[in-house]
Amino acid sequence: MPAMSAITVIKRNPAGEETWRYQGVLTSREGNAIHLEAPFNAKDTPFMGIIIKNGDLFIETYYIDRWYNIFQIHDRDDGTLKGWYCNIGKPAVYESDEVISYIDLALDLWIDPGGKQTVMDRDEFQALELDEDTRAQALTALRELQALFSKIAKQPREKKTRG
């Protein structure tokens, strides 16, 4: 899979059903991780005190061996970092050279640029019918992300624009 090639991302629910599909551009692939950039492809959405705008740049990292993915979100107009959105889910799967997918387990972590963390959708996660191992893996992933971002979220960030 060459860098700077088109890639499709498919988000699936715990039953494996597709819930969202979008296109991105692969920027690199290294070992267990795939990095891509994708513009936000929905209407402007108020979220956690900001507006995620159509066209905002999402710098996304998916892992084939970790129970989460990480989206770093930058403003479409000036490249300012808006925050990080982390999905707790089963490890990413390469369905083909041009398609990756993951199963979303509802639990999310939002980190604002100042490092404040907010766990989201706990009730939705608790309501899922998951086996004990899957639930434990998801909660471990949440703790890993919280520890990771307690260290890096406060570091200065550069503005980012597409390309």
Side-chain angles (χ1 to χ4, degrees):
M1 192 180 322
M4 302 307 287
S5 60
I7 190 162
T8 299
V9 178
I10 301 173
K11 176 182 173 181
R12 299 185 183 282
N13 65 21
E17 301 162 331
E18 182 177 320
T19 60
W20 193 274
R21 173 186 291 250
Y22 59 94
Q23 298 292 311
V25 174
L26 175 68
T27 56
S28 69
R29 181 177 174 181
E30 50 190 291
N32 67 339
I34 183 169
H35 306 280
L36 63 97
E37 294 182 359
F40 184 63
N41 68 349
K43 65 181 182 176
D44 293 3
T45 305
F47 175 78
M48 300 299 291
I50 63 168
I51 304 291
I52 298 179
K53 297 182 269 188
N54 182 279
D56 276 354
L57 178 62
F58 279 49
I59 300 171
E60 305 180 6
T61 302
Y62 294 87
Y63 299 95
I64 60 171
D65 61 352
R66 298 184 195 175
W67 286 63
Y68 56 81
N69 53 59
I70 301 171
F71 300 169
Q72 185 181 75
I73 305 170
H74 292 267
D75 187 84
R76 69 176 181 209
D77 299 319
D78 65 10
T80 301
L81 175 67
K82 292 184 172 185
W84 295 267
Y85 189 94
C86 305
N87 294 295
I88 306 298
K90 291 186 177 182
V93 174
Y94 295 98
E95 294 191 10
S96 72
D97 283 346
E98 295 86 28
V99 178
I100 61 170
S101 68
Y102 70 98
I103 294 178
D104 185 64
L105 297 175
L107 196 58
D108 302 303
L109 179 65
W110 168 252
I111 305 95
D112 73 18
K116 180 182 176 194
Q117 298 184 15
T118 305
V119 178
M120 301 180 311
D121 303 323
R122 285 183 192 268
D123 292 344
E124 188 179 341
F125 172 71
Q126 290 300 330
L128 293 176
E129 294 184 18
L130 302 174
D131 62 69
E132 191 174 307
D133 183 58
T134 299
R135 192 169 301 280
Q137 290 277 13
L139 293 172
T140 297
L142 175 61
R143 288 189 297 275
E144 288 174 8
L145 283 167
Q146 289 172 314
L148 174 69
F149 279 98
S150 70
K151 296 175 187 170
I152 69 169
K154 295 176 183 157
Q155 297 174 359
R157 298 283 171 213
E158 296 180 15
K159 292 183 178 183
K160 176 70 177 163
T161 55
R162 276 186 214 107

